[in-house]
Amino acid sequence: MSQRVIFLGTGTSHGVPMIACGCHVCSSINPRNNRSRASIVIQNGEQALLVDTTPELRMQAIKHGITRVDAVAFTHAHADHIFGLDDVRRFNEIQDMEIPCFGHRQTLKVISEAFRYIFVPTQTGGGKPRLSLELAADPFEAAGMTVTPIPVFHGRVRVLGYRIGDFAYITDVSRIPPEAFDLIKGIDTLVLGVLRHTPHPTHFNLEQGLALLEALKPRRAFITHISHEFDHDATNAILPPGVELAYDGMVLEIRS
Ligand SMILES: [Zn+2]
Ligand SMILES: [Zn+2]
Ligand SMILES: [Zn+2]
């Protein structure tokens, strides 16, 4: 069965352009240098799995024509990955159903604290999401697909990547432990978070990301969670064959 991946956002936590930056990428007129916070949606026929709920979720859903979300999978609970969660209530209304939200234990704990109002009784009339928090035990079923969590490290923070069939999405990562490597070795399509050229304590830089891709040898790889250090066209021109920068609105066909 084939699925469709839509990149809703491909930017780092600041987004690109970044507030008050006049660099050539932040001031570029190339729409591919305009990056909202990192998120994808995986459409499986009529159903859809959203990965992370960025602060720009509402605008991302409108811009890319997202009309349905059956489940959400969280990579981790940093602000740029969770603070659009309230917008999910629109999908509750459309679908008239509770929406399961998957993540590891710590992610679910932070979400339940940061969005306390969602999980305690409040007065009627103030619309809020109807969600269930579900442990991303491996593998789990969401939006009609079998999803395998991939445990990786983002500095010291534990983060989940997700694999569906021959596709995997791993953002915000600085180390892939051996058990995760085994889960993605030889995969067809890999989306990988690579921040910039200069080293960073909690993200792969380009050199580290390319070294990992060389070891994994996916047929094709797409880079996401991109900072303003990467001009879209200039960076693509120096990447090896089969590796390219993703961009907001990019669509991939995958097979599960
Ligand atoms: Zn992030
Ligand atoms: Zn800039
Ligand atoms: Zn993060």
Side-chain angles (χ1 to χ4, degrees):
M1 205 157 60
S2 77
Q3 286 82 26
R4 217 164 153 245
V5 174
I6 304 171
F7 287 87
L8 300 183
T10 57
T12 186
S13 56
H14 282 294
V16 181
M18 186 162 70
I19 291 172
C21 182
C23 81
H24 73 286
V25 175
C26 287
S27 53
S28 165
I29 56 165
N30 182 351
R32 293 186 180 180
N33 282 327
N34 203 309
R35 302 170 181 129
S36 61
R37 279 53 168 267
S39 173
I40 56 170
V41 67
I42 305 163
Q43 295 177 329
N44 179 37
E46 293 297 301
Q47 299 191 78
L49 171 65
L50 175 66
V51 181
D52 292 331
T53 58
T54 83
E56 289 142 333
L57 175 56
R58 171 174 161 269
M59 294 312 297
Q60 291 172 333
I62 291 166
K63 186 170 180 183
H64 304 295
I66 307 304
T67 57
R68 189 174 178 96
V69 167
D70 293 85
V72 180
F74 285 99
T75 60
H76 63 307
H78 280 165
D80 53 321
H81 298 261
I82 69 169
F83 275 124
L85 180 58
D86 193 79
D87 288 335
V88 169
R89 69 190 164 112
R90 180 65 186 131
F91 299 107
N92 291 123
E93 286 170 9
I94 295 168
Q95 298 154 206
D96 192 23
M97 61 176 256
E98 185 175 80
I99 294 176
C101 296
F102 295 88
H104 64 47
R105 195 175 303 279
Q106 182 61 18
T107 297
L108 300 182
K109 180 171 182 287
V110 174
I111 287 173
S112 65
E113 291 166 355
F115 294 91
R116 184 172 175 275
Y117 70 94
I118 293 178
F119 304 101
V120 298
T122 48
Q123 65 178 358
T124 52
K128 59 180 188 176
R130 283 187 289 138
L131 311 172
S132 64
L133 298 180
E134 312 278 348
L135 210 53
D138 50 340
F140 60 92
E141 298 291 317
M145 299 176 285
T146 302
V147 184
T148 304
I150 306 163
V152 300
F153 288 91
H154 176 26
R156 286 197 308 274
V157 174
R158 288 174 179 274
V159 168
L160 293 180
Y162 292 104
R163 176 173 180 157
I164 293 165
D166 237 0
F167 167 83
Y169 180 80
I170 303 177
T171 180
D172 293 57
V173 58
S174 56
R175 185 163 69 85
I176 307 247
E179 58 273 22
F181 189 91
D182 291 344
L183 286 172
I184 51 174
K185 193 162 180 7
I187 204 164
D188 181 80
T189 305
L190 177 65
V191 177
L192 183 68
V194 172
L195 186 68
R196 62 190 191 187
H197 292 289
T198 31
H200 188 281
T202 64
H203 292 274
F204 281 143
N205 70 354
L206 185 59
E207 189 184 343
Q208 293 166 323
L210 291 180
L212 176 76
L213 294 175
E214 183 57 34
L216 284 171
K217 299 200 186 318
R219 182 174 67 87
R220 54 182 183 163
F222 299 90
I223 288 171
T224 191
H225 212 281
I226 306 163
S227 78
H228 69 158
E229 277 193 24
F230 290 162
D231 173 76
H232 185 82
D233 293 340
T235 305
N236 272 343
I238 60 162
L239 291 177
V243 183
E244 58 185 294
L245 296 188
Y247 55 87
D248 291 23
M250 184 182 218
V251 178
L252 305 176
E253 298 292 328
I254 61 165
R255 290 192 164 276
S256 67

